[in-house]
Amino acid sequence: MDKELYIIRHGETALNKHGIVQGRGINSDLNDTGREQAAAFYAMYKDLPFDKIYVSALKRTHQTVQQFTDAGIPTTQLSGLDELAWGEWEGQARSDESILVFRDLLEQWTSGNYDAKLNGGESPNEVAARLQEAVDEILSHPEEKLVLICMHGRAMRILLCMLSGKPFSEMADFPHQNTTLYRVSLTGKQFTITDFNNTDHLKV
């Protein structure tokens, strides 16, 4: 194995809790629950010898891994890891209209239209292009054997499809909660998901 990636979603924010749309355009803080989730993840994995941490440009990822960073693990921000932008729907509360709009969008993605996006937002193909740049940067450091990546739910689903060779129409196959962990090993050019939607740290 050449490299192992611990890929986690950020902790809960107030907008997560209240079902408000939150993408690349909203830079929210963790709430109390999110900080507790982050602390629980740190408590379970703090003894692993991470060589590097990568976070998105959004502070909810920085806050989720802050204890690791404070412990001295080098941390790099890559905007390519940002959440998918939901455009004009960001910051909007769940409504009958939004449910229909998002259902239609997800149906387009499931049917293979990966260029579909909301007004002012991003498509899966656009997110994948910047995710690939982030992955290329991470892989350009072979000396970093054990890597922690903190990112966002929808972008994480797209990334896991990319790494596992699945079409984006199957991104729903990668469920997630706040601070969910996916472990991915890299041997040669082959990525293998070795741990799937792991939330054991939240059960302690």
Side-chain angles (χ1 to χ4, degrees):
M1 183 169 63
D2 299 320
K3 192 183 288 281
E4 186 171 26
L5 309 176
Y6 277 61
I7 304 172
I8 68 168
R9 186 186 177 207
H10 63 82
E12 184 182 272
T13 69
L15 299 189
N16 289 145
K17 181 176 181 179
H18 296 295
I20 293 171
V21 179
Q22 173 184 240
R24 192 179 195 183
I26 294 186
N27 199 13
S28 52
D29 292 291
L30 298 187
N31 62 11
D32 288 343
T33 298
R35 287 188 286 273
E36 290 170 3
Q37 292 165 339
F41 185 86
Y42 179 74
M44 180 164 283
Y45 297 104
K46 61 183 170 59
D47 294 326
L48 291 180
F50 289 112
D51 296 304
K52 188 70 166 288
I53 301 171
Y54 291 93
V55 294
S56 78
L58 301 168
K59 60 188 175 182
R60 51 190 182 271
T61 62
H62 302 207
Q63 293 168 358
T64 300
V65 298
Q66 189 63 52
Q67 288 178 278
F68 291 94
T69 303
D70 289 346
I73 300 172
T75 303
T76 294
Q77 173 179 299
L78 297 175
S79 60
L81 297 173
D82 286 359
E83 180 59 301
L84 181 144
W86 300 106
E88 64 186 13
W89 289 92
E90 298 210 4
Q92 302 294 316
R94 186 184 300 268
S95 65
D96 290 344
E97 182 185 8
S98 73
I99 289 170
L100 291 174
V101 167
F102 279 85
R103 183 182 298 160
D104 177 68
L105 181 65
L106 294 175
E107 286 175 355
Q108 290 190 68
W109 292 349
T110 302
S111 66
N113 182 6
Y114 308 139
D115 291 317
K117 58 185 175 181
L118 301 176
N119 190 31
E122 290 179 296
S123 69
N125 280 339
E126 289 172 323
V127 174
R130 58 177 171 81
L131 281 172
Q132 188 61 58
E133 291 181 3
V135 169
D136 290 345
E137 172 61 25
I138 293 167
L139 297 186
S140 73
H141 298 278
E143 73 283 1
E144 297 169 6
K145 301 296 186 185
L146 186 60
V147 174
L148 176 60
I149 300 170
C150 187
M151 52 186 305
H152 308 265
R154 182 60 59 177
M156 188 166 76
R157 285 177 157 174
I158 294 171
L159 176 62
L160 290 167
C161 284
M162 293 167 62
L163 299 182
S164 61
K166 284 177 173 278
F168 297 144
S169 58
E170 297 179 23
M171 64 175 108
D173 290 353
F174 297 108
H176 56 74
Q177 302 170 49
N178 290 107
T179 66
T180 279
L181 166 67
Y182 281 85
R183 279 171 48 207
V184 180
S185 65
L186 173 64
T187 303
K189 295 186 177 181
Q190 180 67 44
F191 290 97
T192 304
I193 296 175
T194 59
D195 206 354
F196 184 92
N197 194 28
N198 184 329
T199 55
D200 287 351
H201 56 285
L202 300 180
K203 302 168 188 171
V204 175

